Amino acid sequence: YEETHCPAPEKKEAEVAAQQASLIDIASKFPPWAKLAFIPFGIHKLNAMQSQCFEKAFLSNVNLLVCAPTGAGKTNVAIMCALREIGANLKNNVLAKADKFKIIYVAPMKALAQEIVAKFSKRLKALGIVCRELTGDMQLTKDQIAETHIIVTTPEKWDVITRKSDDVVRSVKLLILDEVHLLQDDRGSVIEAIVARTNRLVESSQSMIRIVGLSATLPNYIDVAAFLKAENGTLYFDESFRPVPLSKTFVGVSDANTVRVKNLMNEVCYLKVVKSAREGHQVMVFVHSRKETLKTAEFLREKFNDEGET
């Protein structure tokens, strides 16, 4: 097999200094009510990525596509977009009823939906925002939906709701699509249907529904931005915006026999796991399916036993 190593990108001191100087200060740039979502939680400044998103996320209503590496802080961008909509429905410090506006957060997995509900509920509680999960495992009554400002759901669940419930859909003012790069996945057609239906509703009712897409780095982000009608709100951030620099090693296994290829890939995986573990690092191994997960785990267990590793 062959290996190709890509070292982590290094930031120049001048770039770091420029980014630090341009960080958005929460206390001076946000209105008093919006600060409640940041300062009580120890967030006094936005990071470099979030600072560049601030103007379009919080000070405008344009559709957004934010492409940034994992861990760059896209959740805070989503919160800024939510705060923009909350502010539009806040008069004399009194929040409009939940049936007047709804924010929909579409997360790809139920586990992530639960995590988002916990984060948003905690951060926006002081503003009187009610955030609830609506998935296959967590149903809401009609009354509960009516009194909920932020509904966190999955693509499949929201797809069903948009086909059936006009009342809920017509009160939506902001649609946040997390992990929008899954458009290329098997479930991509569901996300396409959601976006198409949303755009059709905007055109037919002449209403305003803002669409915000959050994604890992995409090679064809310009095409995705056009699909989301976010050409004026496209923000792309490369690997240098990762909070922890990431080095990459690509391992190429070439053999005509697929069985030998799998065996060799497992051997390489074992060597990499042992090396990282001996250096005191934690290790995560990702494979393509649940079935392969079990097979890989069993191989590593047997290999560890055979080699006497603990």
Side-chain angles (χ1 to χ4, degrees), residues 37 79 82-83 86 120-129 150:
I79 285 177
L83 287 171
I86 291 167
F120 274 58
S121 296
K122 186 178 179 183
R123 297 277 294 275
L124 302 175
K125 184 179 179 181
L127 298 173
I129 294 295
I150 301 177

Side-chain angles (χ1 to χ4, degrees), residues 57-111:
F58 187 69
L59 300 180
S60 79
N61 285 322
V62 296
N63 286 358
L64 270 187
L65 173 63
V66 180
C67 301
T70 302
K74 293 189 286 291
T75 301
N76 271 348
V77 176
I79 285 177
M80 283 193 283
C81 293
L83 287 171
R84 170 77 180 179
E85 188 55 43
I86 291 167
N89 290 276
L90 198 64
K91 292 183 180 178
N92 300 321
N93 289 326
V94 177
L95 186 67
K97 291 183 178 180
D99 59 354
K100 299 298 181 185
F101 77 100
K102 293 234 183 302
I103 297 169
I104 307 300
Y105 193 112
V106 178
M109 296 177 292
K110 295 172 188 175

Side-chain angles (χ1 to χ4, degrees), residues 38-289:
F38 296 98
I39 292 177
F41 304 96
I43 304 171
H44 297 278
K45 282 189 176 184
L46 299 178
N47 67 20
M49 186 276 287
Q50 295 158 1
S51 295
Q52 291 189 32
C53 294
F54 169 73
E55 191 171 322
K56 289 185 176 179
F58 187 69
L59 300 180
S60 79
N61 285 322
V62 296
N63 286 358
L64 270 187
L65 173 63
V66 180
C67 301
T70 302
K74 293 189 286 291
T75 301
N76 271 348
V77 176
I79 285 177
M80 283 193 283
C81 293
L83 287 171
R84 170 77 180 179
E85 188 55 43
I86 291 167
N89 290 276
L90 198 64
K91 292 183 180 178
N92 300 321
N93 289 326
V94 177
L95 186 67
K97 291 183 178 180
D99 59 354
K100 299 298 181 185
F101 77 100
K102 293 234 183 302
I103 297 169
I104 307 300
Y105 193 112
V106 178
M109 296 177 292
K110 295 172 188 175
L112 183 58
Q114 292 166 1
E115 185 181 323
I116 293 298
V117 168
K119 282 183 181 178
F120 274 58
S121 296
K122 186 178 179 183
R123 297 277 294 275
L124 302 175
K125 184 179 179 181
L127 298 173
I129 294 295
V130 178
C131 180
R132 288 193 174 109
E133 175 191 348
L134 178 57
T135 60
D137 295 341
M138 188 66 67
Q139 300 295 327
L140 297 177
T141 65
K142 199 170 184 179
D143 289 342
Q144 286 176 321
I145 290 174
E147 64 189 26
T148 302
H149 300 95
I150 301 177
I151 296 174
V152 184
T153 185
T154 57
E156 290 77 11
K157 189 68 177 178
W158 187 242
D159 181 43
V160 171
I161 292 171
T162 53
R163 291 173 189 270
K164 294 181 178 179
S165 178
D166 282 346
D167 293 342
V168 177
V169 175
R170 290 188 184 281
S171 62
V172 174
K173 302 299 180 187
L174 172 62
L175 174 64
I176 300 173
L177 300 168
D178 202 353
E179 310 287 357
V180 78
H181 54 269
L182 292 175
L183 272 168
Q184 67 175 355
D185 200 24
D186 293 340
R187 302 161 73 196
S189 58
V190 181
I191 299 173
E192 283 187 52
I194 289 170
V195 173
R197 209 170 290 127
T198 302
N199 286 331
R200 185 180 176 186
L201 178 62
V202 169
E203 291 169 4
S204 64
S205 64
Q206 295 298 302
S207 59
M208 168 69 189
I209 301 177
R210 187 185 190 188
I211 298 176
V212 174
L214 307 176
S215 171
T217 49
L218 282 167
N220 62 330
Y221 65 93
I222 294 174
D223 296 329
V224 177
F227 172 66
L228 297 177
K229 296 187 177 180
E231 295 93 338
N232 296 325
T234 305
L235 296 153
Y236 181 86
F237 301 92
D238 60 22
E239 289 292 320
S240 65
F241 283 86
R242 286 186 67 93
V244 178
L246 181 69
S247 60
K248 300 175 184 176
T249 300
F250 295 91
V251 180
V253 178
S254 56
D255 197 305
N257 188 302
T258 56
V259 174
R260 284 200 298 266
V261 167
K262 279 194 174 183
N263 290 338
L264 186 51
M265 285 175 67
N266 282 338
E267 290 286 347
V268 174
C269 175
Y270 168 76
L271 294 174
K272 298 296 181 185
V273 167
V274 169
K275 182 177 180 292
S276 294
R278 283 176 177 166
E279 291 172 354
H281 302 301
Q282 294 185 6
V283 185
M284 291 184 72
V285 179
F286 292 91
V287 292
H288 293 292
S289 66

